[in-house]
Amino acid sequence: AQSVTQLDSHVSVSEGTPVLLRCNYSSSYSPSLFWYVQHPNKGLQLLLKYTSAATLVKGINGFEAEFKKSETSFHLTKPSAHMSDAAEYFCVVSDRVGGFKTIFGAGTRLFVKA
Amino acid sequence: GAGVSQSPSNKVTEKGKDVELRCDPISGHTALYWYRQSLGQGLEFLIYFQGNSAPDKSGLPSDRFSAERTGGSVSTLTIQRTQQEDSAVYLCASSLDDGRGYNEQFFGPGTRLTVL
C-alpha cells in the first residue's frame, strides 16, 4: 500500500541558510512523486515532480529534490532560504496500482526567521 | 486562461442539512479530483474522475458523500445529512491525465465548509 511520511511537522530556518524538508514514501510500483507548496490563504502550487527520468529534480524558486529508491526518500532542499519561502509543503505520491491513488503527506510548515 | 474555480468559497450549514459543492476544472483537463483538508491536516483524497471511466470513489469517507461529473467537465460533490466532522476545506483539482498519474494537478481555491 502507498504511504507518505513527512518526517517533520515544522521546520524553522534563518534566512539565507539551507532548507531540508524530509519525505519518505512507500509504493508497490514505480511511483510519481511531487512536492506542492501552499502559502497562507493561497491555493496549492506544484514545486516539482519526479516521473522516472532524472533522479535529481529541479523545481521553481530554487527548490530541488532527489529521488533515492534505496532509501525510499524524496527530500526537498534549497540552498538558501528566503522569507517568501515560509509556507506549508506537501510531499505527494501517485501510482496506479489497484486503481489510481494520490496520497498527500501530512505537510511540513516552514518558518523562515530574519 | 482561467484556472480551476470552486463555488461557493464559504458555506455554513446546520447539522443534518445537505450541501452541494461545485468545481469547474480547466478546460480540456480530463482528470478531476476532490480532496478534503481538515484544520492542520494534509489533504485526504476523496474521489477521482478520468474521462468516461468509472470514477475511483475509494476515498469517500461514508455513503453520505457522493460526486458527479457531468459532460466530462463540471463536478458536484454532495454531502448528505452533514455532520460537524465534515467541516473542512474541500479542494478540487484537475489535470491532463496521461494515464499514469504523472501530470501536475491544478488546484482550485477550495470551499470552506462549516457545519454548526
Side-chain angles (χ1 to χ4, degrees), chain A residues 30-32 34 36 38 43-44 46 49 51-52 90 94-96 99-102 104-106, chain B residues 33 35 37 40-43 45 48 56 58 91 97 99-105 107-109:
Chain A
S30 293
S32 303
F34 307 80
Y36 283 83
Q38 187 175 37
L44 281 150
L46 180 71
K49 65 179 181 181
T51 57
S52 76
F90 295 96
S94 173
D95 72 34
R96 298 192 66 84
F100 181 85
K101 291 288 190 294
T102 295
F104 276 71
Chain B
Y33 317 76
Y35 298 90
Q37 187 175 27
Q41 303 292 316
L43 271 71
F45 167 78
Y48 161 67
D56 181 340
S58 59
L91 291 164
D97 194 347
R100 294 173 295 172
Y102 287 174
N103 284 330
E104 174 183 2
Q105 295 181 34
F107 283 83

Side-chain angles (χ1 to χ4, degrees), chain B:
Chain B
V4 177
S5 61
Q6 293 185 245
S7 61
S9 55
N10 281 283
K11 176 71 176 180
V12 180
T13 190
E14 294 179 346
K15 178 181 173 182
K17 300 279 181 137
D18 297 352
V19 295
E20 283 190 354
L21 312 179
R22 177 187 168 104
C23 172
D24 283 272
I26 293 173
S27 178
H29 280 190
T30 55
L32 186 148
Y33 317 76
W34 282 99
Y35 298 90
R36 176 168 71 175
Q37 187 175 27
S38 301
L39 186 63
Q41 303 292 316
L43 271 71
E44 175 188 5
F45 167 78
L46 296 178
I47 188 169
Y48 161 67
F49 295 90
Q50 164 51 14
N52 296 321
S53 302
D56 181 340
K57 303 179 181 180
S58 59
L60 294 178
S62 78
D63 59 8
R64 297 186 295 104
F65 288 73
S66 62
E68 291 184 343
R69 188 179 185 191
T70 54
S73 180
V74 172
S75 178
T76 301
L77 177 69
T78 301
I79 308 173
Q80 296 177 310
R81 305 181 301 282
T82 52
Q83 304 294 313
Q84 288 182 331
E85 60 262 29
D86 299 334
S87 296
V89 176
Y90 288 81
L91 291 164
C92 175
S94 70
S95 74
L96 287 167
D97 194 347
D98 63 354
R100 294 173 295 172
Y102 287 174
N103 284 330
E104 174 183 2
Q105 295 181 34
F106 292 83
F107 283 83
T111 294
R112 182 176 297 278
L113 175 66
T114 303
V115 182
L116 301 177

Side-chain angles (χ1 to χ4, degrees), chain A:
Chain A
Q2 287 175 306
S3 68
V4 178
T5 303
Q6 291 185 243
L7 296 160
D8 307 291
S9 59
H10 298 85
V11 170
S12 182
V13 301
S14 297
E15 191 174 23
T17 64
V19 175
L20 170 64
L21 305 183
R22 297 182 294 166
C23 173
N24 286 97
Y25 71 93
S26 68
S27 175
S28 55
Y29 193 54
S30 293
S32 303
L33 294 161
F34 307 80
W35 277 96
Y36 283 83
V37 60
Q38 187 175 37
H39 286 92
N41 300 316
K42 291 190 176 180
L44 281 150
Q45 180 184 19
L46 180 71
L47 272 179
L48 49 81
K49 65 179 181 181
Y50 165 77
T51 57
S52 76
T55 56
L56 182 62
V57 182
K58 294 188 183 299
I60 62 172
N61 300 335
F63 284 93
E64 61 183 38
E66 186 171 7
F67 173 70
K68 292 187 177 181
K69 187 173 182 178
S70 60
E71 299 176 10
T72 60
S73 69
F74 191 57
H75 301 334
L76 182 70
T77 60
K78 182 173 181 177
S80 177
H82 192 274
M83 296 296 288
S84 61
D85 294 329
E88 186 95 19
Y89 291 80
F90 295 96
C91 182
V92 181
V93 64
S94 173
D95 72 34
R96 298 192 66 84
V97 175
F100 181 85
K101 291 288 190 294
T102 295
I103 306 296
F104 276 71
T108 298
R109 182 161 294 278
L110 177 65
F111 297 94
V112 182
K113 300 174 289 187

